[in-house]
Amino acid sequence: MAVSISEFTRFAIVQEDNCLNGANMTKYAYGPCRVTAIHAWNQDAGAPGPNFLKMFDNADPTWGTTAPDFSFPIPAGDGTEYGALHLDFHDEPLVFENGLSLGADDAGGTATGTAPSANDVLVVLEILPGAS
Amino acid sequence: MAIIQHGILEATKHTDLDLNATAEELASSAKTIYGMEIDNTNNSVDVFVKCYDTNNASPPTVGTTVPDMIIRVGAGKIRSVSSTRGTVSGGNVTPAAGFAFGTGLYMACVTAGGTAGTTGPTEDVKATVYTN
């Protein structure tokens, strides 16, 4: 899924992606943008542990090769409830000068890990257009 | 005006005034990070703070060991990150604050994202980390 945000000038955009995994990296924006809030849920239960939300300041990164600019662990669920990550950056948004792409798997760094085994990661982002 | 108290969080403050490419142990046992503030005001380039879930029994090799969290901090900026992670079930939210590091906590700061990167910033970065 590719989303252009150039037409938005005033309001934050809330983007939802319920199919985020390593093999299907999402390219959210092709130009500068700011992320003011992140909400992510790990729908996998128990093993293999956390999945990592990896964020790239890049409109077209190569999964497993391009170094992520941010990587946050999302805890595993317990079989009944999802593990969740909530981050608020309204005071100082995360700035992505070159576009924004996301991916998730069970490895925190650059290399490819194992994609979420049973259920993809759900992400809701609040995005503002422009770098400032 | 009604005031709703959701809970009291006691935290231990860790301060590292010289975060650089040499990984430093902030905790030798399991810790949960409730929040952190990273001060990169003395550098004119972006830096990447990397957190490793390990302790002095198996210290990380910066540039090789896969980090468990990566945070980019813009040139001349201060970045705050705090998390309230929890679970959601049937519309009910159960807060469980923080990033859980099950073994220990090492941190380092370099000028490249992802896993690689062994070059530290010109000037050391200051980090204040709040844990249990």
Side-chain angles (χ1 to χ4, degrees):
Chain A
M1 179 180 70
V3 179
S4 169
I5 63 169
S6 60
E7 64 202 83
F8 295 92
T9 57
R10 292 185 59 189
F11 302 107
I13 306 155
V14 176
Q15 280 294 341
E16 177 178 325
D17 186 340
N18 63 0
C19 56
L20 194 63
N21 61 52
N24 292 296
M25 188 164 51
T26 295
K27 294 159 186 175
Y28 270 96
Y30 291 114
C33 65
R34 290 161 286 158
V35 172
T36 52
I38 301 170
H39 304 281
W41 289 270
N42 184 353
Q43 302 179 91
D44 272 353
N51 283 310
F52 294 85
L53 175 65
K54 294 189 259 194
M55 308 176 74
F56 301 86
D57 187 351
N58 189 319
D60 191 21
T62 301
W63 186 246
T65 302
T66 304
D69 294 280
F70 298 91
S71 175
F72 298 108
I74 315 167
D78 63 5
T80 302
E81 300 171 333
Y82 300 153
L85 169 71
H86 302 289
L87 297 172
D88 183 338
F89 297 109
H90 284 90
D91 289 341
E92 184 73 30
L94 304 181
V95 178
F96 294 84
E97 298 273 1
N98 305 299
L100 169 61
S101 301
L102 300 179
D105 66 16
D106 69 352
T110 303
T112 301
T114 301
S117 59
N119 300 287
D120 297 338
V121 165
L122 168 65
V123 176
V124 176
L125 290 183
E126 187 178 289
I127 305 173
L128 291 169
S132 61
Chain B
M1 180 177 68
I3 298 174
I4 301 173
Q5 181 173 311
H6 292 283
I8 298 172
L9 195 62
E10 290 189 8
T12 300
K13 179 180 178 181
H14 307 262
T15 302
D16 189 333
L17 300 178
D18 58 351
L19 201 61
N20 53 38
T22 301
E24 296 187 16
E25 186 186 59
L26 273 73
S28 59
S29 60
K31 290 290 177 189
T32 297
I33 297 177
Y34 298 133
M36 67 174 73
E37 183 177 272
I38 304 157
D39 184 342
N40 186 35
T41 53
N42 289 331
N43 287 296
S44 58
V45 299
D46 292 358
V47 298
F48 297 82
V49 171
K50 303 183 183 181
C51 301
Y52 303 89
D53 186 358
T54 188
N55 59 23
N56 54 20
S58 181
T61 301
V62 176
T64 303
T65 303
V66 175
D68 293 280
M69 187 156 63
I70 302 167
I71 300 164
R72 183 181 66 181
V73 186
K77 299 284 189 179
I78 296 175
R79 161 63 54 208
S80 296
V81 177
S82 60
S83 168
T84 299
R85 299 191 306 181
T87 54
V88 179
S89 178
N92 298 315
V93 178
T94 303
F99 295 101
F101 284 68
T103 303
L105 175 60
Y106 264 84
M107 293 179 70
C109 181
V110 294
T111 55
T115 303
T118 57
T119 302
T122 302
E123 301 292 337
D124 290 343
V125 167
K126 303 169 189 170
T128 304
V129 182
Y130 297 91
T131 71
N132 58 345

